[in-house]
Amino acid sequence: MNHVTSETFDQNARAALADAQLRGALRNATSLFGERRLAAARSLDNWEQLRSQAREIKDEVLLHLDKYLEEFVVKAESRGARFHWAQDASEANAIICSLAQERGARRIVKSKSMTTEETHLNTALENAGIKVVETDLGEYIIQLAEETPSHIIVPAIHKTKRQIAELFTQELGIPPTDDVAKLTSTARATLRDRFAEADIGISGVNFGIAETGTILILENEGNIRLTTSLPRVHIAVMGIEKVLPRFADLDIFLKLLPRSGTGQRLTTYQSFITGTKTNREAEGPEELHIVMLDNGRSRMLAHPITRQSLACIRCGACLNACPVYQQIGGHAYGSVYPGPIGAVITPQLMGLEKTQQLPYASSLCGACREVCPVKIDIPRLLLHLRSEITEKSSPAVRQARQRTGERIAFKLWQMTMTRVWLYKLSALVGRLFQGLVVKDGRIRKLTGPAKLVTPLTAWTSGRDLRPIERRSFREIWRSDLSNKN
Amino acid sequence: MEATNRNSSRDAIIASIRSHLSSSKILDAREHEIKHGAAPSEPVSYVPPITDTSALMDLFKQNLEAVNGRCLVVHGDADLVQTLGNVVSDLRDDTKSPSLRIAISDSPDIERLVRMVGLDVDEIGVTPSASDVFRFDVGVTCAQAGIAETGTLVLDSSRERHRLVSLVPPVHIAILNATQIVETLGEALSTLRLEKYVSPIVTLVTGPSRTADIELTLAIGVHGPQELIVILRA
């Protein structure tokens, strides 16, 4: 699964669909998280209002992102934080590698951060000869297995405890067990040594507060607290969209994020970090470096529809709600951001050339929009990206997307729908000839010469089609309904 | 040279933000018109705040226990001393370890209490350093506030040195005064902000460390404390 890319989404999805174990795990996880989210949302009587408020705050920030970023930086710098700006992934990685090298750091502990997954920081550090250990239990498992996360919140959701036990036996030398508590305590014991010896701790950031220069990080395990408390240096990697105006805004976002992600009222720990420690004796790192990453984000500001993508707080609720994700899981998307939000973010971050299948990985059912705590209209974004692919993208992309048959079919469709006589005629012709393909009241998978009708073949390869009714609504109206007084 | 590069990236990102935002202005106006007809937000039912301390204590206890934390209510110093002594001797029995090491924060209150308890322990360390703290079995600290609606402790580093003592040892015992309990997260946040100066590190703690990363099976105590015991002083 390591070399799966977004370019081969169709194949990836097909392979995932054939994996019964994966689908079982996904079914359990997505339904459990879905139920928990719903129960947690219902425990508040103003859930819808909170969603609207959160979105208004995000919209306000994004419309004045330059202003809020500057305020955030000034405040945090006045408290001792140091800032580094990275236009893309490689610049971010270079900054972090040189921070480590300048300090002679050999060992780094890291807590879960989607942003550093996005920049492939671990590979860059390893290439620079620096040992980096993931400390979130799920991420640690993934790192030992040399795989990639398949869910934003539970990265190792695709692995069974038996597979994890085998991995631990092989890599850590423990006797075989399928006791989750034992596996967890093994990871705890092993990672304690890594925390104790680390020179640098690297974390992500959930929210940055402009008013106070505070960064806030949420977690359940305690590894983020250890990562940001024990080593001498703390490096926090933050997407430029993560800033919020006021400290008080956290009341809203702390109600939405844990409930949407895991169904908790609050995660076990929230670390509010404002600059560095104030005197020599106080506990905690001596240096705090905040790396601000753009990597395609500022581009998304250019259109109100794409700008919404930057409101995302990475809760993972849309993954759990998505009928496509529920069947294929995260790896098929070939990107660190899977599911509906991944299908809109990945193409914008990486360009449409290599990701053009992703905006089509959706039935546009709207479940993602329903659950999104910041009301991102993901279906609208998907349609926007689809139209960009067909209208604006390079000729190569356009050609690959637009199959000749599809183009002709839509041309004919357009002609038919704009001419009454042609519409009536084709309905008549359809009714006359559909008998050739209708079986038991449905048009099923086509065989023989009928397969030449390309769009019909494509449609029926995965689902049945209802035949055209004997009489149209207008005909029924005219003969039966309109005369009844 | 390096500094120049960093500044130039900063300038480039800010410039990119500004230019993309300005090219979106016409579209924003159109979007605003569409959004204007959005549905009004639902009315929120008004729930009067809880002012009774014992009701806040009950709510705090109930919510803390719901996330696998323990909450022991005590009345007065003598009760507190006895309870703390019992908790520690139970821990010694549970662990069956020949030695028990306790780390405490620099709170004068804690030092005083620990001395009063006369704990039968092998070592008491006051705010051990990052390299030293791993040896300890139990950490004892105060908490600066409690949030009733979630069973949460607020730990504020500017008022007590408890960052490591509350985190690294497998058991965390926290002493909280009932008068410090607020009802909601919002109240706790506004208190933190009211002081104008936000402390370098403020941590909210709700129950012991937990994970569900393996087959969604809940496991308590992965990296942080495996046990959280709050002694609530009425």
Side-chain angles (χ1 to χ4, degrees):
Chain A
M1 295 294 264
N2 265 336
H3 303 290
V4 166
T5 65
S6 303
E7 287 173 272
T8 56
F9 176 80
D10 283 357
Q11 286 114 283
N12 310 345
R14 241 167 245 133
L17 284 174
D19 186 340
Q21 180 251 307
L22 176 70
R23 291 179 70 184
L26 287 167
R27 196 162 46 239
N28 291 341
T30 55
S31 59
L32 183 72
F33 279 125
E35 287 160 20
R36 284 190 188 159
R37 189 204 70 86
L38 199 60
R42 282 182 180 158
S43 75
L44 292 175
D45 55 6
N46 59 343
W47 183 252
E48 288 307 313
Q49 193 190 36
L50 287 169
R51 289 175 75 205
S52 306
Q53 285 175 322
R55 180 54 187 277
E56 277 164 28
I57 293 167
K58 278 286 186 183
D59 282 345
E60 156 71 13
V61 170
L62 294 172
L63 274 174
H64 306 96
L65 188 58
D66 51 339
K67 182 188 130 213
Y68 285 112
L69 277 177
E70 283 178 348
E71 188 186 353
F72 172 66
V73 170
V74 167
K75 287 282 157 56
E77 274 179 341
S78 76
R79 296 290 299 267
R82 283 182 251 173
F83 279 86
H84 310 268
W85 296 76
Q87 295 183 66
D88 56 26
S90 65
E91 192 176 4
N93 293 342
I95 289 166
I96 295 163
C97 286
S98 73
L99 281 172
Q101 282 159 342
E102 284 161 22
R103 281 152 190 79
R106 305 280 303 280
R107 299 184 188 88
I108 291 180
V109 283
K110 205 167 148 281
S111 58
K112 191 159 83 73
S113 147
M114 295 308 296
T115 313
T116 60
E117 293 285 346
E118 178 188 326
T119 63
H120 302 289
L121 173 64
N122 290 4
T123 314
L125 286 167
E126 275 152 25
N127 290 342
I130 301 161
K131 191 169 153 33
V132 54
V133 180
E134 292 286 352
T135 58
D136 172 86
L137 179 59
E139 289 279 345
Y140 180 61
I141 293 165
I142 296 297
Q143 190 183 30
L144 280 182
E146 298 180 6
E147 292 181 11
T148 53
S150 61
H151 192 286
I152 295 179
I153 303 294
V154 271
I157 195 66
H158 59 285
K159 296 191 90 70
T160 62
K161 62 182 172 191
R162 197 150 300 152
Q163 291 172 322
I164 295 163
E166 275 167 28
L167 183 69
F168 278 19
T169 306
Q170 200 182 317
E171 299 287 326
L172 307 173
I174 62 157
T177 175
D178 62 358
D179 179 9
V180 170
K182 188 137 246 157
L183 293 170
T184 305
S185 63
T186 303
R188 175 184 172 101
T190 313
L191 288 168
R192 294 241 128 187
D193 297 338
R194 303 287 91 76
F195 283 119
E197 68 188 14
D199 308 300
I200 294 179
I202 298 180
S203 76
V205 172
N206 288 108
F207 304 102
I209 310 301
E211 181 185 48
T212 56
T214 305
I215 57 173
L216 172 59
I217 324 174
L218 280 72
E219 61 164 332
N220 280 312
E221 297 187 359
N223 64 310
I224 293 180
R225 288 179 71 195
L226 289 163
T227 300
T228 58
S229 296
L230 290 167
R232 213 183 57 77
V233 179
H234 171 202
I235 302 174
V237 186
M238 174 173 166
I240 53 169
E241 82 283 17
K242 289 265 183 268
V243 69
L244 292 179
R246 293 158 297 264
F247 201 81
D249 297 330
L250 289 173
D251 189 23
I252 293 165
F253 287 91
L254 283 178
K255 286 198 172 85
L256 291 169
L257 178 52
R259 283 180 171 83
S260 301
T262 54
Q264 290 171 287
R265 280 193 274 184
L266 260 186
T267 53
T268 307
Y269 305 118
Q270 285 76 36
S271 297
F272 297 75
I273 301 172
T274 310
T276 49
K277 61 183 179 181
T278 44
N279 58 56
R280 279 240 149 260
E281 295 85 49
E283 303 167 291
E286 281 157 30
E287 297 176 29
L288 169 63
H289 297 271
I290 303 177
V291 179
M292 305 295 297
L293 179 72
D294 183 341
N295 205 31
R297 286 167 173 73
S298 58
R299 262 204 315 269
M300 300 181 202
L301 293 168
H303 194 293
I305 293 178
T306 59
R307 194 163 59 229
Q308 303 182 69
S309 336
L310 297 173
C312 175
I313 55 173
R314 309 279 188 265
C315 69
C318 61
L319 278 59
N320 303 325
C322 176
V324 176
Y325 181 91
Q326 284 170 1
Q327 297 301 327
I328 62 172
H331 283 151
Y333 292 82
S335 149
V336 294
Y337 301 112
I341 193 66
V344 297
I345 286 183
T346 307
Q348 297 185 77
L349 291 175
M350 291 168 58
L352 285 165
E353 281 75 14
K354 290 184 173 172
T355 57
Q356 37 157 315
Q357 293 185 28
L358 294 184
Y360 296 85
S362 165
S363 64
L364 301 177
C365 72
C368 48
R369 184 175 48 205
E370 292 295 308
V371 299
C372 178
V374 287
K375 292 189 161 183
I376 301 174
D377 192 347
I378 295 178
R380 190 162 176 211
L381 256 159
L382 288 164
L383 288 174
H384 180 84
L385 292 171
R386 289 182 190 184
S387 88
E388 281 211 341
I389 289 168
T390 36
E391 302 287 328
K392 293 180 197 155
S393 56
S394 68
V397 172
R398 226 165 29 228
Q399 211 162 12
R401 264 305 346 156
Q402 287 189 330
R403 296 169 201 99
T404 319
E406 192 176 307
R407 198 161 53 227
I408 294 169
F410 273 106
K411 202 81 205 166
L412 288 173
W413 178 261
Q414 188 195 9
M415 283 169 65
T416 313
M417 297 309 278
T418 48
R419 291 164 181 81
V420 178
W421 66 269
L422 192 55
Y423 178 81
K424 284 182 178 165
L425 181 65
S426 46
L428 192 69
V429 172
R431 267 183 226 133
L432 279 174
F433 288 96
Q434 68 182 354
L436 297 171
V437 286
V438 172
K439 285 186 192 98
D440 307 326
R442 284 281 186 279
I443 300 173
R444 298 174 199 280
K445 198 163 190 165
L446 294 183
T447 48
K451 283 178 84 172
L452 289 172
V453 191
T454 336
L456 208 54
T457 308
W459 179 273
T460 55
S461 74
R463 65 220 124 165
D464 295 342
L465 183 68
R466 285 177 68 96
I468 303 168
E469 293 295 331
R470 257 170 221 292
R471 295 163 71 204
S472 75
F473 176 73
R474 291 171 70 94
E475 284 160 3
I476 298 171
W477 178 263
R478 203 174 298 131
S479 62
D480 301 347
L481 299 171
S482 65
N483 293 333
K484 281 186 188 162
N485 287 317
Chain B
M1 179 64 193
E2 200 187 53
T4 331
N5 278 342
R6 280 176 190 170
N7 282 336
S8 73
S9 282
R10 175 194 168 132
D11 295 345
I13 291 170
I14 296 290
S16 168
I17 290 170
R18 286 184 181 143
S19 75
H20 284 105
L21 277 176
S22 73
S23 70
S24 161
K25 273 204 179 113
I26 303 166
L27 293 161
D28 288 339
R30 204 181 304 157
E31 194 75 1
H32 189 72
E33 281 166 26
I34 299 168
K35 259 175 89 177
H36 218 65
S41 50
E42 72 215 69
V44 178
S45 59
Y46 176 73
V47 184
I50 303 174
T51 46
D52 175 32
T53 308
S54 77
L56 284 175
M57 281 171 65
D58 290 345
L59 189 59
F60 177 87
K61 185 175 185 321
Q62 180 196 327
N63 283 320
L64 176 59
E65 284 167 352
V67 289
N68 311 83
R70 280 173 69 193
C71 185
L72 307 169
V73 179
V74 297
H75 302 270
D77 260 11
D79 194 6
L80 171 56
V81 166
Q82 199 190 343
T83 304
L84 185 59
N86 291 345
V87 167
V88 171
S89 70
D90 286 352
L91 283 172
R92 183 197 270 291
D93 296 345
D94 286 353
T95 53
K96 293 183 190 74
S97 64
S99 63
L100 191 69
R101 300 189 190 89
I102 293 192
I104 62 173
S105 72
D106 67 344
S107 155
D109 209 21
I110 297 288
E111 276 195 88
R112 187 176 58 88
L113 286 168
V114 167
R115 216 175 303 124
M116 281 166 77
V117 177
L119 292 172
D120 175 26
V121 293
D122 301 83
E123 188 185 346
I124 295 178
V126 182
T127 62
S129 69
S131 55
D132 201 27
V133 69
F134 284 92
R135 298 187 296 120
F136 291 88
D137 306 296
V138 181
V140 186
T141 73
C142 287
Q144 278 60 51
I147 303 170
E149 66 171 0
T150 48
T152 302
L153 295 174
V154 180
L155 306 179
D156 180 338
S157 68
S158 69
R159 296 204 257 153
E160 182 177 348
R161 199 167 302 159
H162 49 22
R163 188 170 183 172
L164 300 178
V165 173
S166 67
L167 169 64
V168 179
V171 179
H172 176 206
I173 301 172
I175 294 163
L176 175 69
N177 292 325
T179 51
Q180 293 171 305
I181 300 180
V182 295
E183 187 187 347
T184 64
L185 173 70
E187 286 170 71
L189 289 173
S190 59
T191 322
L192 290 172
R193 178 68 196 115
L194 255 185
E195 289 163 21
K196 286 202 172 88
Y197 170 85
V198 179
S199 300
I201 176 102
V202 175
T203 312
L204 306 189
V205 177
T206 312
S209 149
R210 58 172 60 213
T211 185
D213 272 352
I214 300 176
E215 285 193 0
L216 302 173
T217 309
L218 178 67
I220 298 290
V222 52
H223 290 299
Q226 291 156 312
E227 211 174 330
L228 173 67
I229 304 163
V230 176
I231 302 180
L232 185 53
R233 183 155 47 183

